[in-house]
Amino acid sequence: MYISQPMSWHKESTDSEDDSPEIDIKEEDIQKTVEVSGSELNTEPMAFLQGLNSGNLMQFSQQSVLREMMLQDIQIQSNTLPKLENHNIGGYSFSMVLDEKPKSQWMYSVPLNKIYIRMNKAFNVDVHFKSKMPIQPLNLRVFLCFTNDVSAPVFRCQNHLSVDPLTANNAKMRESLLRSENPNSVYCGTAQGKGISERFSVVVPLNMNRSVTRTGLTRQTLAFKFVCQNSCIGRKETSLVFCLEKACGEIVGQHVIHVKICTCPKRDRIQDERQLDSKKRKSVAEATDEDEPAKVRRCTAIKTEDTESNDSRDSDNSAAEWNVSRTQDGDYRLTITCPKKECLLQSIEGMIKEAAAEVLRNPNQENLRRHANKLLSLKKSAHELP
């Protein structure tokens, strides 16, 4: 402890053999020492705590709680079962573009969103994502799962597994059915893992310095292959899941593509697309059959109505004669010759209905009203005929 002023010493002679000096400490020296010592306890941690008031203490506490909640949420997210859905919750515009070359050993079906590929044959995929500020390192986690049972892990068959020799550095890669052709790829997961971060997967670091597309997205080409077939794992349907992750493991985007590893990709793709078309036709036919009775009744009613109207029209045409002519003054004349009074009244009523509809559509036109009134007078005169 640093002391501001020197203490005064004095020695008294005693008769004892052990002569020990006594310290004479003045009261004013103690006060000065305490004052100086208390001021020097203001170290850096103490200064930080003293600088915090109640407001920013609450903010500091809330930020700590939010950070802890975010870390827990990231851990829960990475340890949950995968969901076979596409999303872009991080706003990175994450997407996948399959680069299918001519005469390649794999094919992609657009209507099925499915890759058909041979074993040990690589396929290329372009990863598109948007760089956001501040720049953070991103990884792409890729894993295989069963389409109808996402909780079950996907293992290699023993026949193909026994061919790969086990070394000190390839234990996890040897167990993985999915292989990455990209440098710096990391194989993760265990045989008992079910969650996203626990199951067998391949993590590929994405390079921010890759080429940029016309839309401003970063593009990186990756290559993958499979070392077993679907027939090796019970012919179950499989899906390939691509997860865009931050360095902390937070998933900010996901894309799913269905996969079939087979010996004849073209044949299987054609068969599956034909089955899809037949299912669509069958569903359309079933929907048509459900609506068919109502359609039949409606068509029958329409046909009966048309028949009756045609018959009445034919009888009217055969009974009434309509003649149009022009007078010497340039006016137009309509002459209706009817053998029966009822036929004449029906003709006039038809013209009255048409005139009334025109009056309703154009209520401000006085000439239409006059025309309708003349037709009503004409009908009245026809009623008075013998």
Side-chain angles (χ1 to χ4, degrees), residues 180-308:
S180 173
E181 299 294 308
N182 312 284
N184 302 323
S185 298
V186 180
Y187 291 86
C188 308
T190 61
Q192 294 77 25
K194 294 186 177 181
I196 295 177
S197 62
E198 299 171 346
R199 64 194 304 133
F200 285 129
S201 61
V202 182
V203 177
V204 183
L206 298 179
N207 191 349
M208 296 295 180
N209 298 325
R210 294 291 179 177
S211 59
V212 179
T213 63
R214 294 181 179 178
T215 58
L217 300 177
T218 303
R219 180 183 63 189
Q220 184 170 347
T221 303
L222 304 176
F224 300 93
K225 68 178 182 180
F226 304 96
V227 290
C228 271
Q229 298 187 144
N230 281 79
S231 58
C232 303
I233 50 180
R235 300 186 183 278
K236 297 181 180 180
E237 296 183 357
T238 51
S239 299
L240 195 62
V241 183
F242 299 85
C243 295
L244 184 66
E245 297 181 349
K246 293 183 179 179
C248 60
E250 180 185 0
I251 299 176
V252 294
Q254 180 173 294
H255 196 85
V256 180
I257 300 177
H258 305 298
V259 177
K260 185 172 185 180
I261 314 153
C262 52
T263 56
C264 189
K266 183 177 181 180
R267 179 200 62 192
D268 291 351
R269 190 203 69 171
I270 293 175
Q271 289 180 355
D272 291 349
E273 288 182 350
R274 285 178 178 175
Q275 290 180 2
L276 179 65
D277 292 339
S278 63
K279 288 180 181 179
K280 290 181 179 180
R281 288 195 297 268
K282 185 177 180 181
S283 62
V284 172
E286 290 176 354
T288 305
D289 292 339
E290 292 177 358
D291 299 337
E292 189 63 30
K295 288 184 177 181
V296 169
R297 288 193 298 269
R298 187 164 61 251
C299 292
T300 304
I302 293 173
K303 185 179 292 186
T304 305
E305 184 179 353
D306 291 343
T307 304
E308 291 177 355

Side-chain angles (χ1 to χ4, degrees), residues 1 17 31 36 43 81 86 91 103-104 200 211 251 264 287 368:
M1 180 182 297
E17 296 180 356
Q31 293 179 355
V36 174
T43 58
L81 295 176
N86 300 336
K103 298 182 180 179
S104 59
F200 285 129
S211 59
I251 299 176
C264 189
L368 293 177

Side-chain angles (χ1 to χ4, degrees), residues 17-87:
E17 296 180 356
D18 297 332
D19 294 335
S20 58
E22 291 185 1
I23 301 175
D24 185 8
I25 303 175
K26 297 181 180 180
E27 185 178 355
E28 57 183 7
D29 295 335
I30 295 175
Q31 293 179 355
K32 292 180 180 180
T33 303
V34 172
E35 291 175 0
V36 174
S37 301
S39 64
E40 290 183 352
L41 288 176
N42 188 12
T43 58
E44 185 177 353
M46 294 294 292
F48 172 73
L49 292 176
Q50 289 174 358
L52 292 175
N53 54 29
S54 60
N56 51 26
L57 271 174
M58 180 64 70
Q59 183 179 3
F60 179 76
S61 176
Q62 291 176 352
Q63 290 178 355
S64 300
V65 172
L66 289 174
R67 178 178 176 81
E68 185 177 355
M69 291 175 62
M70 290 175 62
L71 292 176
Q72 290 178 358
D73 182 64
I74 292 172
Q75 186 178 6
I76 293 172
Q77 183 186 32
S78 60
N79 290 333
T80 56
L81 295 176
K83 294 182 179 180
L84 301 183
E85 60 183 13
N86 300 336
H87 66 76

